[in-house]
Structures are given as structure tokens and as C-alpha cells.
Amino acid sequence: MASMLLLLGLLVNLLMLTDANVGVCNGRLGDNLPSEQETVALYRSNGISRMRIYDPNSATLDALRDTGIELMMDVPNRDLEGLTDPNAARAWVRDNIQRYPNVKFKYIAVGNEVDPDPSKYTSRYKNYVLPAMQNVHNALRDVGLDNQIKVSTATYTGLLRDAYPPSQGAFKDNGFAEPIVRFLAENKLPILANIYPYFGYLGDPNKNLPYALFTAQGTVVTDPNNGLQYSNLFDAMLDAHYAAQARVGGGDVEIVVSESGWPSDNGQEATVGNAGTYYRNLINHVRGTAGTPLKRGRSIETYLFAMFDENNKDGDATEKHFGVFSPNKDSKYGLSFN
């Protein structure tokens, strides 16, 4: 009996590892990038089985037909207001999902990093996120796809008022976050979160680089509220999100890490060496079944940002250097996705 239980446990762990494939975000903000067909071929030749795209780009969707690549597809922020109309949401699902029955849709990210803070540009979209999510979810349900395709929204650590220690994690605006989290909890849907230890490192007065790169030896942070010990910043940031969700009724809402990456140029500690270290260690960490100190015994579905360096990205110069491949399709870090 003991040997059978051990074998069962090994099989469960193997299944969890198999399901923990790491995806890569396919940003297209460059004027020197491979074609959509070439890009999809690059995913397949490198064993990358999950992709995130930031709008329903028809050329990418056509290239994904019959590939088996699982897809997270965004509703861009600019389109959220229109989808507060249920008829528009049904048309969106018809045109962008039903039209591609041989594309393996997995998640629809309704909005990306919408922040209710009036000082943020994306605050103009805050009243549209939840109604658009509800309408897209209902439209998928109406055509029998709601169990296959999960609706969510992509959040980020900027929505937290507190993130240290992790158990103190709390949203800065519960009026925005709580209804979204409760909708996800009621419908057994995950939340998406963009987790960037690089930016956490920049904001840390202690500037502990090994803690951010997964190379620290032993415990760096012990949470005084629960005694949980952290050896890397990624886990601490993720558990802060879990703590924030628990405060508004979403303790059981799973987090899918919809972006995480490290730049290779034009910023503090933005080097090829550090970026390669981060990506390799991140892949190894999330593929395992250790989980985080708060959510143990699970793999962490994670999407690397991004496939290519994007020379037309806005913002700081580092934003142009998050690619794991160069635009000429050369691998920058020799990462293994199999």
C-alpha cells in the first residue's frame, strides 16, 4: 500500500510538472520583428507551448491554427468601454474566438494593468473592467465555451497599497479590486498578475540583487506575522497578491503570472548576465512543485515577458530590452522550455 501511495504521489507531481509549462508573451511593438508565421514557428521549434498576445491580431491567430499552442489573448484597454454592451461582447466572441475553432484559447485577459489611481493614465478605464469581464464571460457561456476559456483581467503589484511583509498585502482601492476578485471567486476563475522582481528590486532601499535573482543563500525575509520565510522576491510579491485577495474574499482565487521578466540593457542591473540568470531561475522555480511559502505544493503557471526586444515600446529605455530572443530570432539566453 505504501509503495502504491508513493507511486500515486509521483504521478501527481509529474502531472503538475507537465501542466506547469512556461509561456512567453508575444509583444509586437517593434518594426524589425519576424512575421507572425515565423514567430509561431519559433515558439514550436523551442517547445514553447503557451503564448500571450495583447490584442486579437488576425495574422497571429491564423498562424496559431492547429498548432496546439495554448493562448492567453487580451482585450486591449481601449476596447473595454465597447464591451460593456452585452451585444458587443457577443460579437467580439464571435469574431475573435468562434471564428478560430482550431486555435486553443485558454484565457481572455480583459484589460491590462488598469489602475484606479487618478494619477495613472489607465484610470480612465476603471469603470469598464468588471462589466466587460462579465459580458465576455456570459458570451462564452452562451456558446458553451466558458469551461474551456477562462475570463480574467491582468493586474499588477502597483494595485497594492502594502506588499511588505507579504502577509500585509492589501489593495489600495478595494472599491475597484473587491468586486473583480469576488466575481472571479464566484465563477472559479483565476486572476492574472504581472509580477516583476526587477521593479521591486529598484524600489527596495536595501537593493538585494541575489534576493531578486533567485540566487540568495537561505532565508532573506521572515514575515513577522506568520513566520513564513522567503529566499526570493518573486515569491514574496506573489504572496502579497494572495494576501490582498484574501482580504476581499478571494483567498482561493488562483494567480496565473501573466508577465515576469528582467531587462538586459539601459537600466540599473539591466544586463544580459542578470537577465539570463533571472529567466533561467524563474523557469526552474515555477516548474517545480514547491510553490510559495503561503501556497505550497503547486506549480506556478507563468508567462515570460517577452519573446522579442521591442524597439518601439514606450516608457523607460529598459522597456525595449525584455526579449528572450533577438528580432533576428537568435536566443539571447539559451533557455530550455522542454
Side-chain angles (χ1 to χ4, degrees), residues 197-245:
Y198 176 72
F199 297 116
Y201 164 79
L202 293 182
D204 179 5
N206 296 318
K207 292 290 190 294
N208 190 327
L209 186 61
Y211 185 52
L213 292 176
F214 296 92
T215 58
Q217 300 299 310
T219 300
V220 175
V221 170
T222 300
D223 193 314
N225 297 319
N226 54 24
L228 295 179
Q229 297 180 329
Y230 292 85
S231 61
N232 68 81
L233 184 54
F234 177 86
D235 281 353
M237 295 174 73
L238 194 51
D239 279 354
H241 278 261
Y242 273 117
Q245 290 173 199

Side-chain angles (χ1 to χ4, degrees), residues 12 26 31 49 80 107 109 148-149 153 156 175 184 196 212 231 235 267 291 301:
V12 169
N26 181 18
D31 55 18
S49 60
L80 295 177
Y107 303 114
Q148 174 185 332
I149 305 171
T153 188
Y156 76 128
L184 296 173
Y196 281 95
S231 61
D235 281 353
E301 186 174 351

Side-chain angles (χ1 to χ4, degrees), residues 77-120:
N77 293 340
R78 63 180 180 271
D79 295 340
L80 295 177
E81 183 177 8
L83 296 186
T84 61
D85 176 356
N87 290 326
R90 283 190 286 270
W92 191 92
V93 167
R94 180 196 66 217
D95 294 342
N96 300 302
I97 295 177
Q98 290 180 277
R99 184 175 289 177
Y100 302 92
N102 45 359
V103 172
K104 198 171 183 180
F105 296 97
K106 187 173 187 182
Y107 303 114
I108 304 299
V110 181
N112 182 51
E113 295 190 354
V114 173
D115 192 325
D117 184 336
S119 68
K120 305 293 186 182

Side-chain angles (χ1 to χ4, degrees), residues 189-201:
L189 299 168
I191 196 165
L192 311 173
N194 300 337
I195 305 291
Y196 281 95
Y198 176 72
F199 297 116
Y201 164 79

Side-chain angles (χ1 to χ4, degrees), residues 37 40 57-67 99-100 103:
Q37 289 284 354
V40 170
N57 178 277
S58 59
T60 300
L61 293 174
D62 282 333
L64 286 169
R65 292 179 187 271
D66 297 314
T67 62
R99 184 175 289 177
Y100 302 92
V103 172

